[in-house]
């Protein structure tokens, strides 16, 4: 059976980001995986109950998704609302879906407090980033799922061909 890949819904062109936009990525490998029926799509934030549009949120105080899961770090909207519990719920929904489809790989949009895997914003809403993962990417990694950013589709593609 062809290995399935968990993919951020906005990367596939669904307009589900906080500001109502998508972040569509066009790549031949991605198009091939779609034709092969290997894509499992999710927006963790929408699945957790957020709507579109929604206020932007960041992991506070320069912390990371790992710290949200295990060390009390918080996810805060620009309005000041604490939305940590919903971010954790979205991460668990993504993990459940990945397990249901036996996904060992995920392809997620970088920079998001949920889906980021290489960098995230620092909680100041000043456009400053740091190396780290969002809550969903961190939870998936904790459970042995390899997470790739949209800039790493070629790397993911070669990992998949080595594994098939
Ligand atoms: Fe895209 Fe992930 Fe943000 Fe949803 S939570 S809009 S899938 S980056």
């Amino acid at each position: 059976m062809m290995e399935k890949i968990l993919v951020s819904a906005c990367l596939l062109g669904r307009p589900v980001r906080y500001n109502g936009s998508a972040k569509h990525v066009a790549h031949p490998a991605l198009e091939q995986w779609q034709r092969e029926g290997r894509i499992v799509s999710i927006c963790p934030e929408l699945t957790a109950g957020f709507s579109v549009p929604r206020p932007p949120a960041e992991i506070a105080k320069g912390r990371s998704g790992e710290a949200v899961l295990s060390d009390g770090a918080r996810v805060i909207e620009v309005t000041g609302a604490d939305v940590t519990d919903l971010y954790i719920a979205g991460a668990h929904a993504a993990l459940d879906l990945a397990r249901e489809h036996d996904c060992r790989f995920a392809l997620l949009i970088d920079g998001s407090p949920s889906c980021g895997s290489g960098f995230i914003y620092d909680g100041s809403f000043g456009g400053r980033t740091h190396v780290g993962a969002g809550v969903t990417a961190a939870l998936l990694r904790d459970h042995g799922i390899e997470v790739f950013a949209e800039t790493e589709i070629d790397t993911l593609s070669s990992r998949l061909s080595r594994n098939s």
Side-chain angles (χ1 to χ4, degrees):
M1 216 191 55
M2 285 225 167
E3 176 123 36
K4 293 199 173 175
I5 308 145
L6 190 77
V7 181
S8 294
C10 61
L11 187 156
L12 298 166
R14 285 190 53 209
V16 291
R17 296 180 68 226
Y18 71 95
N19 59 4
S21 72
K23 206 156 188 179
H24 185 228
V25 175
H27 189 288
L30 194 55
E31 283 157 25
Q32 186 185 333
W33 299 332
Q34 280 181 300
R35 282 195 301 274
E36 293 169 344
R38 298 169 76 162
I39 302 289
V40 177
S41 160
I42 188 168
C43 172
E45 293 171 20
L46 240 58
T47 307
F50 286 102
S51 49
V52 183
R54 54 190 174 279
E58 297 185 2
I59 298 173
K61 299 182 179 167
R63 304 192 75 199
S64 65
E66 291 83 357
V68 171
L69 292 169
S70 62
D71 196 28
R74 313 304 295 173
V75 187
I76 306 289
E77 287 184 341
V78 70
T79 59
D82 185 324
V83 286
T84 310
D85 291 349
L86 282 173
Y87 273 71
I88 294 174
H92 281 280
L95 177 62
D96 288 349
L97 188 67
R99 284 177 156 169
E100 198 181 302
H101 291 275
D102 293 325
C103 299
R104 291 184 300 149
F105 302 99
L107 173 62
L108 305 181
I109 284 288
D110 217 351
S112 153
S114 295
C115 291
S117 59
F119 75 92
I120 50 175
Y121 289 85
D122 73 355
S124 68
F125 295 96
R128 284 190 290 276
T129 62
H130 63 100
V131 172
V135 184
T136 293
L139 187 70
L140 294 175
R141 280 180 174 157
D142 273 355
H143 289 82
I145 296 169
E146 283 187 58
V147 180
F148 295 81
E150 71 275 20
T151 49
E152 299 174 314
I153 298 180
D154 290 328
T155 315
L156 170 58
S157 186
S158 48
R159 288 285 285 116
L160 280 165
S161 40
R162 254 186 289 150
N163 275 273
S164 58

